[in-house]
Amino acid sequence: RTDCVLMYRSSRATLTNTTVDDLDRDRLTYTGVWSSNNDTRFVGNTSTYSNDNGGSVSMNFTGSACYVWGDTVDVSAAPPGKPVTQLTRDLTQDHGYFRVKLDSKTYEYNGKTAALKIGTLKFFAGDLDGSPHSLTITNLGTTFFGET
């Protein structure tokens, strides 16, 4: 699972960031099986995730930069000073590999780290031309990838 926020910078003369939340079904297209969690630690208090091998989320945008924010984790207990909850247990068991495809370029990443990190930059692409772009994030395997 990766709690993600997608932001992109418009190519217009005035710089603007547009945040696309996981619940924005007008901009995001989900394929495969997806579920969601609610927690105040996630942007917008929600996280949409998939453990479906090949499950993906995609969107089109026009801009000169793209940021995907999320969390990474591979720990077996709650963060220091925090109680162990079902959400904490879920978060510690499920992050894995995912693919990002931006236009014709493909990148693969591992969502596991040594500690819980919420609000981590998961993907960045800058210096894009001002033309329309296509972004797809795909879960690889049966561990969770999520979008917030």
Side-chain angles (χ1 to χ4, degrees):
R1 169 176 328 166
T2 304
D3 171 34
C4 293
V5 174
L6 170 69
M7 296 188 294
Y8 60 91
R9 190 177 75 204
S10 171
S11 60
R12 298 183 184 116
T14 303
L15 295 179
T16 59
N17 279 332
T18 302
T19 301
V20 179
D21 187 71
D22 64 315
L23 300 179
D24 190 342
R25 299 306 198 257
D26 291 333
R27 293 188 182 177
L28 298 172
T29 301
Y30 290 92
T31 61
V33 179
W34 291 78
S35 300
S36 63
N37 274 332
N38 296 313
D39 190 287
T40 58
R41 295 179 291 175
F42 301 129
V43 172
N45 299 327
T46 61
S47 174
T48 301
Y49 61 91
S50 178
N51 67 342
D52 184 19
N53 186 13
S56 66
V57 59
S58 59
M59 70 169 286
N60 296 314
F61 68 96
T62 300
S64 59
C66 174
Y67 310 80
V68 177
W69 296 91
D71 62 89
T72 58
V73 68
D74 187 17
V75 294
S76 60
K82 300 288 184 181
V84 174
T85 64
Q86 183 60 49
L87 178 61
T88 302
R89 283 190 289 277
D90 289 347
L91 286 172
T92 62
Q93 301 296 317
D94 54 24
H95 292 67
Y97 293 92
F98 62 98
R99 176 183 304 122
V100 177
K101 183 175 182 185
L102 178 61
D103 300 327
S104 62
K105 295 183 180 178
T106 302
Y107 312 88
E108 291 188 6
Y109 298 97
N110 185 353
K112 293 183 180 240
T113 59
L116 176 64
K117 296 178 183 179
I118 294 178
T120 301
L121 183 62
K122 302 288 289 191
F123 175 78
F124 170 77
D127 294 327
L128 302 175
D129 61 28
S131 66
H133 300 283
S134 174
L135 177 74
T136 301
I137 302 170
T138 304
N139 184 47
L140 302 177
T142 57
T143 55
F144 292 105
F145 174 82
E147 161 99 54
T148 299

